[in-house]
Amino acid sequence: MVDYTGIPNLLQPDPNVAAAGQPTVEQIKNAARTGLQRIINLRPASEGPGYDESSVAQSLGLEYYCIPIAGPQDLNNDAVRQLDGLLGMSPTPQTLVHCATGNRVGALMALRAAWLNSEPIDAAISVGRSWGLTKLEPVVRHLLEST
């Protein structure tokens, strides 16, 4: 089991995929030593954590992807499909999906549940919450009600 000790706002609704806030270099190293295989970063370059996360991940042999979600304007079908494609791999590698707090992870997971998995709005919001959706919930609800 991957050791995610200390990573903020960690949630793991799926045994192979965890959602969280921004990990430190040491937390990534620890997780990699214990089985982490892939990082999906939802933070744009303008929100850098103070180190080159891509280089750290690659130096540890981890797959690294970035789907930049700077704000509500980036919560769109393309981002949802990109995340879905990465999470839809079989078997799913041990994956950490993160942003600054986990809120954007939850937002994309809620949209994925509704748009790609045909979940009703309230069920999709519940899925999003289980993945970290908080402050973006009104935006996500509006997007779901508008489609």
Side-chain angles (χ1 to χ4, degrees):
M1 177 179 274
V2 178
D3 182 358
Y4 292 112
T5 300
I7 298 177
N9 304 327
L10 183 74
L11 298 168
Q12 194 161 10
D14 180 296
N16 294 318
V17 183
Q22 179 66 54
T24 65
V25 172
E26 286 308 311
Q27 291 163 341
I28 291 172
K29 287 179 179 178
N30 185 52
R33 278 192 300 272
T34 59
L36 180 65
Q37 297 169 299
R38 177 175 59 179
I39 294 174
I40 302 171
N41 178 7
L42 301 183
R43 298 180 78 184
S46 62
E47 289 183 30
Y51 64 92
D52 185 343
E53 184 175 45
S54 174
S55 293
V56 169
Q58 291 170 3
S59 74
L60 296 168
L62 303 176
E63 296 175 35
Y64 181 84
Y65 301 93
C66 184
I67 305 170
I69 307 295
Q73 71 279 3
D74 295 323
L75 295 173
N76 57 50
N77 199 278
D78 289 339
V80 170
R81 289 192 180 283
Q82 190 175 357
L83 180 63
D84 183 66
L86 291 169
L87 296 180
M89 297 172 145
S90 184
T92 304
Q94 289 294 317
T95 302
L96 175 64
V97 185
H98 80 83
C99 56
T101 64
N103 185 33
R104 286 172 272 191
V105 178
L108 281 185
M109 294 303 275
L111 296 172
R112 177 182 184 235
W115 291 346
L116 303 184
N117 299 333
S118 302
E119 293 283 342
I121 292 173
D122 287 336
I125 294 293
S126 181
V127 167
R129 287 179 187 151
S130 74
W131 287 94
L133 178 63
T134 56
K135 293 178 184 175
L136 284 172
E137 183 173 330
V139 172
V140 169
R141 186 172 289 278
H142 176 75
L143 286 169
L144 295 178
E145 290 171 348
S146 301
T147 55

